Amino acid sequence: MSQIVDDAGREAETAEHPDDAGPGAETPEHPDDADQRRLGERLQRLRTERRWSLTELAEESGVSRAMINRVERGVSSPTATILGRLSGAFGLTISQLLDEALDHEVPRGADPDEARGVQRGATADSWTDPETGYRRRPVSSASFPADVTEVRLPAGREVAYPASAYAFLRHCIWVVDGVLEVVVGGTPTRLGAGDRIELGEPADVVYRNPGETGVRYVVIVVRAP
């Protein structure tokens, strides 16, 4: 069985400030809290569709049952590593796991940009790893045949993904700015701006920023034939 991953040790309790609102007033939901809740609901739906118990998903993903339960209830934000393990268990990319658009068809509005398939940068959603500050922003839509994601990794940080996150997928990583060290199956490769690497057979992968400034890179994912 794969090693069980849990980030309960880094989870911090959020202090409440009852004096900030008057008696009977409701505290508005923070956008990050809403995203966390929706991710939990999506994870629970995926598990229910497969008729998996929490224990079965824990065994499939290598993520602890307690951690999955906290994520599903929206009380804990998973790290990038945990997302990678969960997406691998469901046979999805991380973007597919995060993308609520896969659950329902969103009707097009009257905006000319939408009619032409244009998405402005200011409207693009992103997800940030609460532990490392690693931030991923989808470039392609859920209906596009390739999964294209822009990633920013702060200096001195690293994110690890298990081999299960790469099953049935082909990955190409292209560095835009900075220096990225990609460790595939224990073998490191250092990439600079303009360099790219294509991953082969599924293996554990670590993305590491050894530099003193942030690195920005693009990940392109397609289903293997």
Side-chain angles (χ1 to χ4, degrees):
M1 182 183 296
S2 59
Q3 181 182 5
I4 297 296
V5 174
D6 196 337
D7 60 359
R10 62 140 190 102
E11 186 178 355
E13 294 293 336
T14 303
E16 297 182 356
H17 301 281
D19 296 335
D20 292 346
E26 293 186 2
T27 303
E29 186 176 40
H30 190 279
D32 290 346
D33 295 336
D35 290 344
Q36 190 168 298
R37 174 178 53 78
R38 284 193 295 268
L39 174 59
E41 292 171 352
R42 173 154 173 71
L43 182 62
Q44 190 174 51
R45 282 197 301 274
L46 288 168
R47 182 171 61 80
T48 300
E49 288 170 3
R50 285 160 176 76
R51 298 182 180 180
W52 286 351
S53 66
L54 284 171
T55 300
E56 287 171 323
L57 179 54
E59 291 174 349
E60 289 286 338
S61 65
V63 178
S64 75
R65 186 179 184 277
M67 184 66 218
I68 296 171
N69 180 260
R70 289 197 298 272
V71 174
E72 286 191 355
R73 289 187 291 118
V75 299
S76 184
S77 182
T79 63
T81 297
I82 287 176
L83 277 182
R85 288 182 176 272
L86 292 172
S87 66
F90 288 119
L92 302 172
T93 66
I94 293 177
S95 294
Q96 287 174 327
L97 181 61
L98 291 172
D99 197 344
E100 278 289 334
L102 290 178
D103 286 342
H104 53 82
E105 183 176 350
V106 180
R108 287 194 177 275
D111 190 322
D113 278 352
E114 292 184 358
R116 293 190 295 266
V118 175
Q119 182 185 39
R120 300 299 177 186
T123 65
D125 294 329
S126 63
W127 178 84
T128 302
D129 180 352
E131 187 173 74
T132 63
Y134 158 102
R135 182 163 66 88
R136 53 184 296 121
R137 181 176 69 90
V139 176
S140 57
S141 68
S143 61
F144 195 69
D147 188 314
V148 185
T149 306
E150 177 195 56
V151 179
R152 295 176 184 267
L153 184 61
R157 297 290 190 169
E158 66 177 50
V159 172
Y161 288 119
S164 61
Y166 298 92
F168 313 114
L169 301 173
R170 292 293 304 276
H171 277 63
C172 178
I173 297 100
W174 173 52
V175 178
V176 180
D177 300 307
V179 176
L180 178 69
E181 189 172 75
V182 182
V183 184
V184 182
T187 302
T189 301
R190 184 164 292 200
L191 306 172
D195 294 343
R196 67 179 176 84
I197 185 173
E198 296 180 8
L199 302 187
E201 294 298 317
D204 293 343
V205 177
V206 178
Y207 296 90
R208 179 180 297 145
N209 182 353
E212 298 180 354
T213 59
V215 60
R216 181 164 63 102
Y217 57 98
V218 174
V219 179
I220 301 96
V221 180
V222 296
R223 285 275 177 180

